[in-house]
């Protein structure tokens, strides 16, 4: 049943749920239906039955089968839930009978009776879908209590207060969830009673007060529900199960599924389980624990517990829980048993477990176990340790570490040993630590940053107008907004640290200061943020630069053995190349030559070259540039010795090397308005005319890339000469070299054919002059839709393709990233017009399809065509998975992303092998 | 044999040619080869054998078979030519024997002997490839003359001067073509002799002088060739045939084939034919004629002739030829025969014939006949007449008229009856006539045009800097450059009249004037150009507006019956719609709503709307715009009554409605520099800030199209309301309406789904308010690669697709038309990096492939999806052919192009049916 995003009216659905059980046992039941198995005892299930039993049901089933002490119970299947919806919210035939039978099984195992006044069985009724949807659906505890069983339980436990409190909680929860009565009515009554009795907390309420409260609760039910509060436990159970089914389609749950892209037709299972109580005295307790430290990965039990308490007390934070180690002294037998079970669970699941347990009168009950969430460091250490312990294979170890976690370890971090003063904690929105002076608007941030000061931009929220300030800042702090807020998304896109939604930070934009943790930081005063943890920290603190630990190295080396894709790096300078090699890059996938043009002593030459009136003058300036470029290429080729280095010929439109039109216009206009002598502004006016001449409406689609080279072949000649001369020199020095020359922005085969002719003839000239030859390749960026669509033709002249997915995404979508990201693209992502930012993760349907065409048709023309990607997507795990599927040869990303990319490439390969199996 | 663009060295090839015959008859000849048929007598061939016999050979064969008086001869096949190249330039075995046999057949038919001193047979040796390559390959006339046969011919004709002159010409031609001696040597000798003898023309040379000249020619040959001039006619023939074969691969011919995309491996046939002479006295003549008047199409013999002359005399223009009608009196018998033959030929070929004939001593010989080239008017009239005459079918008539010819008839023309003073004639570079004052630079052209004056831009050549001037001008005149010069290409693109390369126009840019035909036109003085004929005309002359004659109407109606594609028109205003309907448009394919925003009284409202600080203010201004838009839509829907009208929602980026950034910047800077009070420039400064805010680096890829509507849905609501209210009002007035609402720049299915939701709900509101409903469609432009690639998804929300091929071409190529056309695109076309301008003719491999994907996958989702094209390509015949192939439903173009598009659609359909047969 596809529910879609339809939202059933809440009241109607509730009524249906309440009505459901009665109809389910009507005489209409057909025999065929009755034979279907709707209910599984815990011992009948296992971990592989998540589809049918839900995650929680499969989990307790697995624990039960493993012989662990799990309170007995059963699971009503997701099929039953779907049948319930198909029958317009009536139980499927036979289900209720199976529930009754299974309930008798629990009674047998616990020796208690459901509704038995002397030895009453209480149960919990919990939802449990295939995918965890924490807090989204409903749970009823202590079901089975009524005035009679209450007395029995009180007698049995000897604790009347506890029993009354349990009953009070049951009525409250059941009324809200099953009967659909506004929970606030009960909360108000509780508050009134506490106030009247002078009770500080719920626990201070005496039995008599609780009894009065219960009477009041009953009154509320009588007034707001159609009848009395149901006292028959079987009736309670029927209604609770119907309510849990119905909660699958409450608004919260539907929104959650839409957001997390969980299908709406899975349905939820319902788990009915005997209650155990950690609040039955000092030999009772409740707690949570990890089998290993989830922060560091250290191999020791890690967790906390509370004696004489219920699970919710741990969460509520009224009493401070004790470290789990203390339990060894306080409840030694239970601790030993728990330790054993923890070891066994870890071995069973072959992963760190996050466990919930309750000790009821010295008896240990395991309530839940699941894979434990862990930090990046812990993930890596645990994975490496478990391989050493022969618990998991190297493949599993590699799969246990997320590329993002490796990425995180490669960001600047605050020294864990440092003594820091935390002023506030917000969301860890974009990893890494940053230090700078506080600045409260984007323009000033830009100004001060350009002045050489490190700044942190502090805003209540950011919006597109702030982007230039974010670019200039070391990091960003906002007091409002979540992980998908503008600040968070943009900062992650930029790879800048960001703490978002730090609500305890009070930003005063008028006074230009913020206050947090009692400290006021004014504009220009320094502080630190930690985007990996969300901390806002006073002053400057010692930081650790990114580094790769031995364990990370180990996992990455394993990943290297498993991946098929090579990982290359983008880098323009020798130091980039050196760093990339250090991170394991197997080549340079993109060396942008124009960055070299921008350097101080070169720019004037470049400008003279651009303004040259004829080819002769242009060649003269190019000759001056040649030695600079040759040295650059010499350095980078030397740093990569023997590994391939792809050097891209000049790409940007020429006006990028000249002053801005607006600036010049202002200067000239002002000088003219003030009647200054022409000699003072003639030069600027000339420059303005030249810039005007080069001005384009849409420079991204203008005179750039190979188009420049076809108009001014002398530029291509100079660059080729610089590359080949550098390579020849290294060859003479016996350094192996593999230069590859990449032609940008090719859209037609003829563009590449002609450019290549020029490159080859220039190379031949250098070979003749130097009496050396080196092997080099010529290839092209595939960054225009037409290049992809005609790749079969283009491959005639190309020995390699490199997908320039930034530009390819821009042209395929018709979206200029610079313009769009602030103006509408992030909003598109926020509003889910787009599932994600296509500049971060490759768009499979559009850009990915073009890539597939290009790879297939390019290789059809030239089977040994080397194909890679050098856009920013090259470092994104999901995009890397697509590159694996498309049979690319390598991905190339920024040096810092290389380690994560190595891991992601292994993941992609393993997933594909698994899928193809 | 694929010759490619390889250029054999001329001298080597000549030597090989000269050597060839000797080897061909060597003892190596194999019997198997000898049986192959290399030579066809004229009567053995027919018109269908163009591949084997070439165009000329097939033509004379057809005439011969039809029993016409054709001088006897034979054709050596193109296969022989290819075999010649395969054998490294030796004749294939058996060919020469067949030539000899066929020659004997000519001797028999003419009663003359090849090399017979008393009654010598002379022959011509002419090339003739499958496709006509006029002037590209070689021809030798009068072959067979030598000192002996010369005497015989002189005796026979009694005209020694004629005979000597023929011999002189033969030596000159043969030496140059077959022996490869520089032709200038002979020309110089001829000039010297003429000077020495005081002869004004060749004809003034006496026999004695000619004899001396012949001796001198022989001397030249002796000096520059390896031996004496060959006197044996058989040797002459062998060498001439080899030379004609070799001429297939001379540089000129290769260039021509490259340019016209004729394959290099076709080879040429060689035609050997008995010579006839029109210069054997007053009962001899030579002439050319058409079976109908090629200017008007009138049915009468049209042509000219000269008595006692050879063909080249007609061309040389020494004597003025007489109109063909005069021949009825001067050579009545021959004229009657010729008239009869002309009628027969026209019936035989079922088309107007362009014939060459010679009368040798009262005997008529037909030398050539071919389809006659004709003007647009003639083409249409002839096609219509021939259907009436039952000579051709309606289909043939439709195919005989080119869409470009219909287009030409739809341009403003100079009244043919007007008495005009032609100052000069240049190339007819872009059709239509224009009148205006001369202006010599683009800036002034713009100024004066904006001042309301019609101007014609006059330049030596134009370049990209002149484009704004061309836009402003009525037409363009250049004194340099060809049909593919910048001026020509850009003017055609703009649909403006242009005369290019008028070399007799002397442009003086300093004095700002031009001189032509003795008249000087200064800047600001009026004149006229006729881009259809290339004429530059003094002053203003009466013009005829475009019109469709009855014959054009007739042919178009026939075309309408044959085409499958509907033809719609693009138009923004009711008068566009009316005109389009008049031209036969079957719908409005694109009504751009933003043009309406630009109108004077509306623009201020639009600007206030854009600058509004919040939605409320925006809605207030939109409410003011609503009545304007509603009236616009009312008008256009009414004009098209019942035909579909596609209205596109707002598309351009908002800053297009505001003043330019540069303008504002200059104003504000100037005011500030001059310390003007802030009150004087505050408004401009505010506007500047707003424009800055909206400013985009690449507006084409920015916030526009449906992106605007998703951010400001109130704009979509207003526009939808205007459309639906107008439609409802018309419905109440009983006018049938078919509004279709088009969403621009869609790239993802979600964009369209959401926009459509808004449109549908707004329409429903209007229906509720007006208590009327009208049927309307919602569809989208396909103008981004991603839209095409995900068309299957997008079609879920679209009832129609309209290819916006301008933007689709821009994004597929990554080329901004405005920026690129001047800067590199035209140069690309000129340099053949691109075969043609992709903004004029759809790019099949890139854009066409995307279109195919979109059509196929869109229709897979929605089989009744209506698909059309509304880019400028919609009026281009070649693009229309692609649209037919892609099974589009309609093409939409500017109203004036509708008639030509109707014809082109019929051509496309007929060609496809033919191909599929």
């Amino acid at each position: 049943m596809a529910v879609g995003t339809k939202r059933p009216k809440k009241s109607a659905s509730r009524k249906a749920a309440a009505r459901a059980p009665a109809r389910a046992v009507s005489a209409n039941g057909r025999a065929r239906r009755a034979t279907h198995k709707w209910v599984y005892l815990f011992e009948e299930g296992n971990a592989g039955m998540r589809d049918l039993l839900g995650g929680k049901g499969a989990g307790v089933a697995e624990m039960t089968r493993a012989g662990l002490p799990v309170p007995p119970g059963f699971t009503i299947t997701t099929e039953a839930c779907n049948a319930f919806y198909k029958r317009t919210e009536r139980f499927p035939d036979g289900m209720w009978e199976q529930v009754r039978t299974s309930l008798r099984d629990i009674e047998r195992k616990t020796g208690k009776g459901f509704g038995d006044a002397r030895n009453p069985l209480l149960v919990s009724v919990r939802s449990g879908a295939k995918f965890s949807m924490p807090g989204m659906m409903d749970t009823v505890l202590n079901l089975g209590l009524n005035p009679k069983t209450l007395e029995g339980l009180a007698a049995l436990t000897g604790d009347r207060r506890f029993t009354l409190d349990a009953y009070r909680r049951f009525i409250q929860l059941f009324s809200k969830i099953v009967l659909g009565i506004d929970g606030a009515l009960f909360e108000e009554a509780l508050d009134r009673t506490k106030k009247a009795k002078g009770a500080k907390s719920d626990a201070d309420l005496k039995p008599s007060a609780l009894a009065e409260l219960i009477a009041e609760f009953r009154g509320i039910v009588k007034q707001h529900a159609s009848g009395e509060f149901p006292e028959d436990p079987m009736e309670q159970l029927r209604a609770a199960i119907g309510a849990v089914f119905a909660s699958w389609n409450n608004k919260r749950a539907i929104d959650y599924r839409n957001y997390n892209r969980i299908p709406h037709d899975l349905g939820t299972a319902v788990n009915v389980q005997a209650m155990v109580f950690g609040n039955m005295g000092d030999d009772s307790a409740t707690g949570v624990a990890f089998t290993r430290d989830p922060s560091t990965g250290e191999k020791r039990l890690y967790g906390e517990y509370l004696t004489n308490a219920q699970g919710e007390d741990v969460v509520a934070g009224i009493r401070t829980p004790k470290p789990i180690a203390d339990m060894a002294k306080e409840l030694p037998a239970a601790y030993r048993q728990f330790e054993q079970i923890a070891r066994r669970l870890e071995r069973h699941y072959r992963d760190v477990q996050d466990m919930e347990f309750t000790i009821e009168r010295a008896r240990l009950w395991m309530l839940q176990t699941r894979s434990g969430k862990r930090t990046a460091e812990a993930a890596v250490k645990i994975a490496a340790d478990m391989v050493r312990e022969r618990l998991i294979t190297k493949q599993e170890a590699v799969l246990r570490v997320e590329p993002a976690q490796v990425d995180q370890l490669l960001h600047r971090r605050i020294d864990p040993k440092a003594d820091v003063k935390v002023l506030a904690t917000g969301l860890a929105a974009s990893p890494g630590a940053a230090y700078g002076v506080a600045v409260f608007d984007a323009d000033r941030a830009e100004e001060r940053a350009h002045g050489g000061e490190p700044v942190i931009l502090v805003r209540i929220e950011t919006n597109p107008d702030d982007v230039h300030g974010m670019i200039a800042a070391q990091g960003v702090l906002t007091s409002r907004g979540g992980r998908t807020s503008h600040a968070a998304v943009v900062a992650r896109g930029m790879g800048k640290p960001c703490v978002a939604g730090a609500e305890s930070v009070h930003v005063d934009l008028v006074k230009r200061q913020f206050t947090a943790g009692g400290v006021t930081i004014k504009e220009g005063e320094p502080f630190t943020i930690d985007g990996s943890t969300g901390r806002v920290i006073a002053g400057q603190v010692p930081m650790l630069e990114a580094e790769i630990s031995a364990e990370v190295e180990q996992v990455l080396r394993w990943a290297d053995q498993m991946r098929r894709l090579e990982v290359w790096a983008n880098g323009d300078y020798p130091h980039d190349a050196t760093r990339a090699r250090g991170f394991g890059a197997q080549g340079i996938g993109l060396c942008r030559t124009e960055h070299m043009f921008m350097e101080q002593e070169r720019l004037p030459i470049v400008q003279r070259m651009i303004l040259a009136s004829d080819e002769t003058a242009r060649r003269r300036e190019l000759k001056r540039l040649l030695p600079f470029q040759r040295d650059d290429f010499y350095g980078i080729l030397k740093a990569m010795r023997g590994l391939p280095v792809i050097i891209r010929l000049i790409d940007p439109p020429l006006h990028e090397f000249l002053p801005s039109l607006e600036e010049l216009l202002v200067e000239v206009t002002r000088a003219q308005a003030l009647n200054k002598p022409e000699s003072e502004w003639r030069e600027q006016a000339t420059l303005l005319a030249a810039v005007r001449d080069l001005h384009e409406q849409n420079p991204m689609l203008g005179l750039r890339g190979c188009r420049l080279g076809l108009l001014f072949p002398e530029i291509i000649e100079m660059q080729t000469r610089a590359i080949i001369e550098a390579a020849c020199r290294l060859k003479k020095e016996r350094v192996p070299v593999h230069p590859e020359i990449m032609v940008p922005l090719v859209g037609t085969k003829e563009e590449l054919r002609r450019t290549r002719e020029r490159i080859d003839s220039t190379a031949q000239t250098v070979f003749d002059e130097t009496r050396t030859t080196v092997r080099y390749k010529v290839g092209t960026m595939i960054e225009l839709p037409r290049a992809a669509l005609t790749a079969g033709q283009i491959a005639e002249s190309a020995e390699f393709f490199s997908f320039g997915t930034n530009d390819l995404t821009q042209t395929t979508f018709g979206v200029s990233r610079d313009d769009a990201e602030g103006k509408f693209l992030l909003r598109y992502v926020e509003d889910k017009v787009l599932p994600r930012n296509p500049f971060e993760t490759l768009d499979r349907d559009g850009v990915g399809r073009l890539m597939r065409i290009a790879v297939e048709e390019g290789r059809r023309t030239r089977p040994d065509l080397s194909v890679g990607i050098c856009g920013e997507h090259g470092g994104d795990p999901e995009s890397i998975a697509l590159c694996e599927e498309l049979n690319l040869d390598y991905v190339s990303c920024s040096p810092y992303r290389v380690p994560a990319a190595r891991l992601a490439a292994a993941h992609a390969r393993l997933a594909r092998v698994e899928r193809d199996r």
Side-chain angles (χ1 to χ4, degrees), chain A:
Chain A
M1 169 194 169
V3 175
T5 56
K6 190 189 66 173
R7 285 167 185 161
K9 285 175 205 132
K10 201 163 187 173
S11 60
S13 143
R14 291 231 179 257
K15 273 180 211 145
R19 203 172 54 225
R23 293 225 191 145
V25 291
S26 75
N28 295 340
R30 274 164 294 169
R32 190 179 58 76
R33 271 300 192 190
T35 59
H36 191 90
K37 186 165 176 66
W38 301 111
V39 176
Y40 286 75
L41 295 175
F42 286 167
E43 54 267 43
E44 291 178 324
N46 64 53
M49 294 168 73
R50 289 173 66 97
D51 282 349
L52 194 63
L53 305 181
K56 188 175 291 174
V60 287
E62 188 73 13
M63 282 202 293
T64 304
R65 283 168 71 93
L68 299 181
V70 176
F74 58 85
T75 305
I76 308 169
T77 64
T78 55
E79 277 181 6
C81 176
N82 288 331
F84 171 79
Y85 277 107
K86 214 173 262 161
R87 301 195 61 192
T88 51
E89 310 204 350
R90 282 174 300 144
F91 289 160
D93 297 340
M95 186 197 99
W96 182 245
E97 291 74 6
Q98 293 176 26
V99 166
R100 294 177 71 112
T101 311
S102 305
L103 194 62
R104 280 195 291 278
D105 186 79
I106 302 182
E107 290 175 327
R108 200 165 47 246
K109 282 173 184 151
T110 56
K112 298 175 180 178
F114 196 54
D116 183 339
R118 275 155 311 170
N119 188 15
L121 168 67
L122 303 190
V123 297
S124 62
V125 179
R126 291 175 207 260
S127 63
K130 177 175 181 185
F131 301 107
S132 172
M133 294 166 57
M136 289 304 123
M137 288 182 301
D138 295 332
T139 288
V140 183
L141 301 175
N142 297 336
L143 191 139
L145 277 177
N146 60 22
K148 279 184 231 155
T149 55
L150 169 74
E151 294 307 328
L153 189 65
L156 214 66
T157 59
D159 187 343
R160 188 166 181 78
R161 209 213 72 81
F162 150 70
T163 318
L164 282 167
D165 192 46
Y167 190 40
R168 187 270 300 172
R169 289 177 198 237
F170 168 59
I171 295 175
Q172 195 170 346
L173 211 56
F174 188 95
S175 300
K176 182 176 155 211
I177 287 169
V178 184
L179 304 179
I181 301 171
D182 185 359
L185 296 168
F186 300 99
E187 290 294 342
E188 282 162 19
L190 176 60
D191 285 349
R192 266 198 312 278
T193 305
K194 283 200 290 195
K195 207 167 269 172
K197 305 292 175 186
K200 271 191 178 170
S201 78
D202 298 2
D204 297 337
L205 285 174
K206 300 246 165 61
S208 58
L210 283 170
E212 283 170 39
L213 189 59
I214 286 166
E216 193 175 346
F217 276 12
R218 287 177 166 282
I220 293 171
V221 173
K222 199 162 185 176
Q223 196 182 338
H224 291 90
S226 45
E228 298 266 336
F229 188 86
E231 301 214 335
D232 173 8
M234 286 312 280
E235 201 181 318
Q236 290 173 0
L237 182 60
R238 270 203 307 256
I241 291 169
V244 172
F245 278 163
S247 73
W248 173 255
N249 274 341
N250 68 32
K251 181 174 176 329
R252 244 184 11 263
I254 289 172
D255 288 350
Y256 184 91
R257 289 198 297 272
N258 280 339
Y259 187 85
N260 290 283
R261 279 178 265 166
I262 295 172
H264 293 290
D265 60 355
L266 295 178
T268 182
V270 181
N271 298 291
V272 178
Q273 188 175 22
M275 291 289 300
V276 289
F277 298 96
N279 53 351
M280 281 201 176
D282 288 343
D283 59 349
S284 298
T286 189
V288 295
F290 286 78
T291 54
R292 305 192 186 209
D293 185 332
S295 300
T296 64
E298 207 187 324
K299 193 179 178 185
R300 62 180 180 97
L301 268 185
Y302 176 97
E304 48 195 24
Y305 75 105
L306 268 174
T307 46
N308 197 14
Q310 274 197 306
E312 55 204 88
D313 298 327
V314 182
V315 180
I318 299 159
R319 289 161 55 196
T320 305
K322 295 176 244 183
I324 196 84
D326 290 4
M327 212 170 87
K329 286 174 225 153
E330 210 171 356
L331 295 160
Y335 182 77
R336 270 195 307 278
Q337 193 193 352
F338 181 68
E339 236 188 340
Q340 240 172 16
I341 285 174
R343 258 201 306 278
R344 211 166 125 196
L345 278 171
E346 205 186 71
R347 267 205 309 277
H348 185 78
Y349 287 105
R350 303 162 67 248
D351 197 5
V352 174
Q353 294 299 299
D354 168 0
M355 304 160 293
E356 290 176 23
F357 64 92
T358 285
I359 298 168
E360 188 185 273
R361 296 188 164 161
R363 185 163 178 198
L364 174 69
W365 293 101
M366 296 301 296
L367 299 182
Q368 185 158 13
T369 189
R370 56 187 168 197
S371 264
K373 294 213 187 315
R374 63 210 80 173
T375 64
E377 270 155 306
V380 171
K381 179 166 167 48
I382 290 167
D385 285 352
M386 284 189 169
V387 170
R388 261 195 301 277
E389 295 164 21
R390 298 178 187 276
L391 208 57
I392 60 174
T393 64
K394 289 174 187 172
Q395 264 193 19
E396 285 168 311
V398 163
L399 287 171
R400 292 272 171 88
V401 182
E402 286 304 315
Q405 293 175 317
V406 170
D407 240 357
Q408 208 175 306
L409 296 176
L410 288 168
H411 281 94
R412 207 144 69 127
R413 290 177 298 158
I414 289 168
D415 186 343
K417 293 185 218 82
D419 195 18
V420 302
K421 179 173 182 188
V422 176
L423 302 176
T425 302
L427 294 168
S430 179
Y435 160 80
V437 300
V439 178
F440 293 83
D441 76 70
D443 289 343
R444 290 205 201 185
E446 198 174 49
E447 264 167 46
R448 293 186 84 135
H450 287 180
E453 228 173 342
V455 308
I456 293 178
L457 180 65
V458 184
R459 302 283 293 162
I460 296 172
E461 292 180 293
T462 62
N463 66 42
D465 293 339
D466 295 319
V467 171
H468 63 290
M470 297 175 74
I471 291 168
Q474 299 293 312
V476 181
L477 166 64
T478 68
S479 59
R480 208 185 283 160
R483 281 173 185 285
T484 55
S485 66
H486 180 266
V489 175
V490 175
R492 281 200 299 275
M494 294 177 179
K496 297 216 176 206
C498 172
V499 172
E503 293 184 9
S504 61
V505 169
H506 300 286
V507 178
D508 186 332
L509 292 175
V510 177
K511 291 191 186 159
R512 304 194 153 271
Q513 62 182 39
F514 74 86
T515 310
V519 174
T520 296
I521 309 259
K522 292 189 190 305
E523 183 148 293
E525 291 179 355
F527 74 111
T528 299
I529 58 170
D530 181 357
S532 304
T533 61
R535 291 177 300 172
V536 181
I537 297 165
Q540 186 166 13
V541 294
M543 295 199 193
L544 299 178
E545 288 303 313
E547 50 158 4
I548 303 193
S549 69
E551 273 115 352
V552 173
E553 262 302 350
Q554 179 63 74
V555 171
L556 291 179
R557 270 198 308 275
W558 290 333
D560 290 345
Q561 294 160 9
M562 292 163 202
R563 65 189 160 93
R564 185 192 60 77
L565 277 171
E566 290 195 8
V567 177
W568 298 16
N570 300 343
D572 302 344
Y573 301 98
H575 64 83
D576 292 333
T578 307
R579 180 181 302 132
R581 253 201 117 135
F583 283 144
Q586 295 163 282
I588 294 293
L590 177 62
C591 168
R592 279 163 292 218
T593 54
E594 58 270 14
H595 286 190
M596 305 168 181
F597 281 19
M598 291 286 191
E599 282 178 33
Q600 216 175 355
E601 52 185 333
R602 309 174 186 187
L603 194 55
I605 310 179
V606 173
Q607 295 185 341
R608 281 201 303 273
M609 187 268 288
I610 293 169
L611 300 174
S613 53
D614 58 21
E615 192 184 318
T616 315
R618 215 157 33 235
R619 282 192 185 273
R620 189 171 54 234
E621 302 303 333
L622 285 167
K623 211 164 182 179
R624 293 203 177 107
L625 280 174
L626 177 67
F628 290 110
Q629 288 246 300
R630 188 174 47 217
D631 286 353
D632 294 328
F633 298 142
Y634 177 85
I636 203 162
L637 286 167
K638 189 169 185 179
M640 293 306 284
R641 58 179 299 138
L643 293 180
V645 176
I646 295 186
I647 297 166
R648 180 176 71 183
L649 299 178
I650 187 170
D651 183 48
L654 295 180
H655 60 73
E656 286 196 10
F657 301 105
L658 299 179
S660 94
L661 179 64
E662 282 194 45
E663 250 168 56
L664 290 168
L665 192 59
V666 166
E667 280 177 39
V668 172
T669 304
R670 183 168 291 142
Q672 288 176 335
L674 297 175
N675 263 321
K676 298 225 169 154
E678 201 186 322
S679 60
E680 279 184 30
W681 51 268
R682 195 184 299 124
E683 205 174 315
Q684 294 305 80
T686 310
L687 205 51
L688 176 59
V691 170
R692 270 239 172 81
D693 194 42
L694 288 171
H695 182 70
E696 292 175 314
Q697 287 303 313
N698 294 283
M700 203 181 16
L701 308 180
L703 181 54
R704 48 173 286 238
C706 69
R707 298 161 191 174
L708 280 173
L710 285 168
L711 253 59
F712 310 112
E714 50 277 9
I715 303 180
I716 303 304
E717 283 173 24
M718 182 281 283
Q719 293 200 301
T720 304
R721 178 171 277 276
I723 295 165
I724 300 294
E725 284 184 354
C728 288
R729 192 170 128 205
L730 282 161
K731 190 175 179 195
K732 287 187 178 167
E733 294 169 10
R734 296 176 183 279
V735 177
V737 285
H738 279 294
E740 308 197 356
I741 299 176
M742 180 154 73
V743 182
L745 213 72
V746 163
T748 70
K749 66 170 182 174
E750 191 61 15
E751 286 173 324
L752 184 60
R753 199 188 62 72
R754 294 192 189 196
T755 308
R756 176 171 198 146
E757 242 173 41
R758 185 75 60 165
I759 292 168
D760 286 343
S761 70
T762 306
Q764 191 53 52
T765 307
V766 177
F767 293 158
D768 292 348
E769 286 167 7
T770 59
R771 296 189 191 165
T772 323
T773 60
V774 291
R775 286 189 51 194
Y776 67 96
K777 282 185 179 177
V778 178
T780 181
M781 301 274 277
I782 300 288
E783 53 186 334
L784 294 175
R786 195 175 189 284
L789 292 163
T790 61
Q793 298 168 13
I794 288 172
E796 288 168 17
S797 302
E799 282 155 284
F800 64 87
F801 281 174
S802 176
F803 287 107
T805 47
N806 297 351
D807 272 16
L808 189 58
T809 301
Q810 299 198 95
T811 43
T812 303
F813 276 84
V815 162
S816 156
R817 181 175 193 178
D818 291 341
D819 295 318
E821 212 148 52
K823 284 207 164 103
F824 65 88
L825 201 60
L826 297 181
R827 177 130 168 228
Y828 262 32
V829 175
E830 229 171 280
D831 293 352
K832 300 200 177 289
V833 174
L834 282 173
R836 66 205 69 193
N837 184 339
F839 292 105
E840 287 173 8
T841 299
L842 274 174
D843 158 51
R844 210 167 248 276
D845 294 349
V847 178
R849 180 168 184 184
L850 285 176
M851 289 172 71
R852 186 180 297 275
I853 289 172
V855 175
E856 289 178 359
E857 300 182 9
R859 290 224 176 102
R860 206 172 296 152
T861 298
R862 190 187 284 262
D864 64 346
L865 186 78
S866 157
V867 185
I869 174 177
C870 65
E872 281 180 45
H873 302 95
D876 169 66
E878 205 172 319
S879 306
I880 290 172
L882 181 58
C883 293
E884 167 66 32
E885 275 177 49
L886 295 178
N887 294 311
L888 261 52
D889 295 301
Y890 68 87
V891 297
S892 185
C893 54
S894 75
Y896 275 107
R897 297 183 88 178
V898 165
R902 286 160 65 192
L903 185 62
H907 282 199
R909 182 65 186 169
L910 293 171
R912 188 182 183 188
V913 168
E914 182 64 31
R915 222 175 20 248
D916 291 351
R917 189 172 285 162

